[in-house]
Amino acid sequence: MIHRRFDASRHRFAHSPIRSFWAGALLLTACASSVQAAIVLRPIGQYDTGRFDESAAEITAFDSGHARLFLINGDRPLVDALDLSKPWAPRLAFSLDIAAFGAAANSVAVHGDLVAVAVEAEDTQAPGRAVFYSTAGELLASVEVGSLPDMITFTPDGKKVLVANEGEPKDYCSPGLAADPEGSISVIDLSAGAAGLTQAAVTTAGFAAFNGGVPAGVRIFGPGATVAQDLEPEYITVSPDSRTAWISLQENNALAVLDLTTDTITALLPLGTKDHSLAENALDPSDRDGASRIQTWPVHGMYQPDGIATVSAGGETFVLTANEGDSRDYDCYSEETRVEDLALDPAVFPDAAALQKKDALGRLKTTTANGDDNHDGLFETIFSYGARSFSVWSADGQLVWDSGHDLELITAGLLPMDFNSDGPDNFDGRSDDKGPEPEGIVTGIFRDRRYAFIGLERVGGVMIYDVTDPRRPAFVQYATNRGAAGAPATGTTPDQGPEGLVFIPKADSPISRALLVVANEVSGTVTIYSVLPRTEE
């Protein structure tokens, strides 16, 4: 049974003034009074790269020993190290130049005194590298990993580093590994330390064992691609005991399971779809209806998570997913189309003409790769990208809980003029795509309760849920400074495009207060929030 705790009729939206940052601005919040020890986020500082819409602030990792935040700067081949000893006034301490190892850094992780960076090659279909530094910036080693290393992380015990090699195709114009490399996970053994690390420490966990077939529901659809080529690892989360990892396969709408005792992929877990014809799963699918119309529709949303996290409770491990959604759109093959351009089966959709109007379902982006079940050229099912939600799954991939229509409902109530937008004057502009587009997710413990923080890539801001009981999450707050009346010149830039989130517990914080750090890809800003009990708001 799926449980949902948010009910718009029982919660009041409010505006809470920021007392110490962005004077005169407003932090939009909605708080659920039923949650014990509920928290709020209060922004206390911001680092502005000064580079708008250049991906200058993406993924972050925190070095608690030196109060440094390592920041992926996608605008240049750099990893910036920010001094957070005074989080209200973050400053650039130094930068790591990774140009000698490839074209761009995609991900960074920290464990103890080690920094690990995932670097893609100039040719993104060629092998990338994992590069290791001390937290002081000293280069220690680098090793080759798979194609397009997209995410890097340490196991909790620090004994291994895992790299998600996405292996995206260059195009689908010609077959072969040169154009479409295999996706994989690189497992790097750190038992002998990072200094002097050699290629012998790297094991490739690939998917060739599944070339003979995959479980029903795993999307394998790249023209001419093997299963190993088609599967594209996106993000990794590891169990607290460092024995198991789960990997999001976003385009494939699945998770992979990695056994870290053998360094092999042991299972593929199809995630299924979300039925948007149910009231609790309503959505707004049109950017031409002139309103935030969150209604039921005959659409099945593919979960397609990007960021994922694990939590443990009652002796069980659960996987939390931010269900962003993604499609394949390449030279010589694209799955993307709009519902108005599908040939709908009249036996299933007798009202097709009404559904395909632009102010109904017509503008919704959908896929031609799925939905024509009997291959007669008529589509019996309409799919959408992403589920506009975050979900909780069991370790074996069973849906435990989903936030339903919460994210659109809450943002519609709090941001009526910016609903499903990704910039100024773009009201409703993303409704035909993936709505608020939840992308990143992290968890943290505050006063004996565990919270999930979900970044909304398009509309911006962070959703907070209490996940102390992963089977019954409870909505706590939506925090965004989107409406802040600031400007880069004054160091008060409103955040746009949250990409990477880091929770810093009180014990690791330079000010002995729990912090949440949000890197915003579009605005090029890094905002530091203090995590406070609601009574101290």
Side-chain angles (χ1 to χ4, degrees):
M1 182 177 181
I2 299 173
H3 300 273
R4 293 182 182 82
R5 301 291 295 175
F6 181 79
D7 182 341
S9 66
R10 295 186 297 134
H11 296 293
R12 180 167 51 91
F13 296 113
H15 293 80
S16 298
I18 298 172
R19 296 181 175 86
S20 59
F21 190 47
W22 289 302
L26 295 176
L27 178 70
L28 299 176
T29 66
C31 293
S33 59
S34 62
V35 178
Q36 297 179 18
I39 58 174
V40 293
L41 300 183
R42 182 186 298 161
I44 60 171
Q46 185 186 74
Y47 176 79
D48 194 335
T49 65
R51 307 287 293 177
F52 183 83
D53 203 19
E54 299 290 347
S55 300
E58 295 186 322
I59 304 301
T60 59
F62 185 64
D63 163 24
S64 60
H66 304 89
R68 289 194 187 112
L69 185 79
F70 288 87
L71 169 69
I72 294 294
N73 185 337
D75 182 44
R76 300 183 179 95
L78 298 175
V79 179
D80 294 330
L82 308 184
D83 181 353
L84 286 196
S85 58
K86 298 177 180 178
W88 54 88
R91 65 178 184 85
L92 180 65
F94 59 86
S95 295
L96 305 175
D97 187 345
I98 55 87
F101 302 102
N106 289 332
S107 183
V108 62
V110 172
H111 190 281
D113 291 327
L114 277 182
V115 181
V117 183
V119 182
E120 70 178 56
E122 292 284 350
D123 173 2
T124 54
Q125 281 66 52
R129 300 196 74 82
V131 186
F132 293 85
Y133 298 87
S134 71
T135 49
E138 176 191 4
L139 175 64
L140 300 176
S142 79
V143 291
E144 184 177 282
V145 293
S147 165
L148 194 59
D150 197 39
M151 191 267 186
I152 194 166
T153 189
F154 288 85
T155 55
D157 61 13
K159 294 180 180 179
K160 294 180 179 181
V161 164
L162 310 179
V163 186
N165 306 305
E166 192 164 6
E168 279 189 348
K170 178 180 181 181
D171 54 46
Y172 284 104
C173 301
S174 56
L177 295 176
D180 187 4
E182 293 182 354
S184 65
I185 305 297
S186 294
V187 182
I188 305 170
D189 184 355
L190 291 179
S191 58
L197 194 68
T198 69
Q199 201 63 35
V202 183
T203 299
T204 300
F207 298 96
F210 297 94
N211 281 340
V214 299
V218 178
R219 300 180 78 221
I220 303 296
F221 60 100
T226 66
V227 170
Q229 287 174 285
D230 204 83
L231 296 175
E232 297 181 8
E234 191 84 27
Y235 207 92
I236 306 169
T237 187
V238 187
S239 61
D241 63 7
S242 300
R243 294 173 63 87
T244 307
W246 291 263
I247 302 101
S248 59
L249 306 170
Q250 188 170 29
E251 290 84 353
N252 311 105
N253 195 33
L255 299 176
V257 181
L258 173 64
D259 183 340
L260 287 170
T261 65
T262 61
D263 296 339
T264 57
I265 303 292
T266 58
L268 300 178
L269 309 176
L271 298 180
T273 60
K274 179 172 177 173
D275 186 353
H276 289 293
S277 70
L278 301 178
E280 63 266 30
N281 295 336
L283 80 164
D284 183 342
S286 176
D287 61 344
R288 301 290 176 85
D289 57 7
S292 52
R293 293 170 54 200
I294 302 170
Q295 300 175 200
T296 58
W297 296 95
V299 172
H300 288 263
M302 298 178 286
Y303 288 94
Q304 298 185 305
D306 186 347
I308 58 177
T310 52
V311 296
S312 294
E316 294 183 78
T317 298
F318 300 86
V319 180
L320 278 54
T321 62
N323 304 317
E324 179 193 27
D326 202 2
S327 65
R328 285 187 173 140
D329 184 19
Y330 293 95
D331 290 345
C332 300
Y333 175 73
S334 174
E335 65 169 307
E336 278 193 11
T337 191
R338 295 186 187 271
V339 173
E340 63 188 354
D341 297 319
L342 284 183
L344 296 179
D345 189 331
V348 180
F349 301 104
D351 55 347
L355 287 176
Q356 290 181 296
K357 290 182 178 180
K358 294 184 186 297
D359 62 355
L361 282 180
R363 292 282 300 168
L364 181 67
K365 286 187 178 178
T366 186
T367 178
T368 57
N370 307 96
D372 179 8
D373 298 331
N374 57 7
H375 307 290
D376 64 350
L378 300 176
F379 285 78
E380 294 83 25
T381 307
I382 300 170
F383 292 96
S384 60
Y385 300 108
R388 309 188 184 200
S389 64
F390 95 96
S391 301
V392 180
W393 308 83
S394 64
D396 61 354
Q398 300 301 306
L399 183 63
V400 173
W401 183 92
D402 183 79
S403 63
H405 61 347
D406 282 14
L407 305 190
E408 281 192 293
L409 186 67
I410 294 166
T411 53
L414 284 171
L415 299 170
M417 302 306 294
D418 294 303
F419 172 73
N420 280 356
S421 64
D422 58 357
D425 305 319
N426 190 32
F427 168 79
D428 208 23
R430 298 294 298 181
S431 289
D432 62 320
D433 204 322
K434 293 170 278 188
E437 209 161 314
E439 180 177 20
I441 184 168
V442 297
T443 67
I445 295 176
F446 184 87
R447 296 193 176 182
D448 298 323
R449 300 196 70 81
R450 185 176 292 277
Y451 296 90
F453 305 88
I454 304 103
L456 305 184
E457 182 179 15
R458 295 297 176 172
V459 71
V462 178
M463 290 282 178
I464 308 173
Y465 280 76
D466 186 313
V467 293
T468 307
D469 180 353
R471 295 185 178 278
R472 294 171 175 80
F475 171 71
V476 175
Q477 181 197 21
Y478 172 53
T480 178
N481 74 323
R482 183 187 177 97
T490 61
T492 57
T493 306
D495 295 327
Q496 292 186 45
E499 180 82 6
L501 298 88
V502 172
F503 179 83
I504 303 172
K506 176 181 177 180
D508 295 336
S509 169
I511 59 171
S512 298
R513 275 190 179 272
L515 304 173
L516 182 75
V517 180
V518 182
N520 299 278
E521 181 180 17
V522 176
S523 56
T525 54
V526 179
T527 298
I528 300 96
Y529 292 89
S530 180
V531 182
L532 300 169
R534 190 160 51 86
T535 54
E536 294 183 25
E537 181 186 8

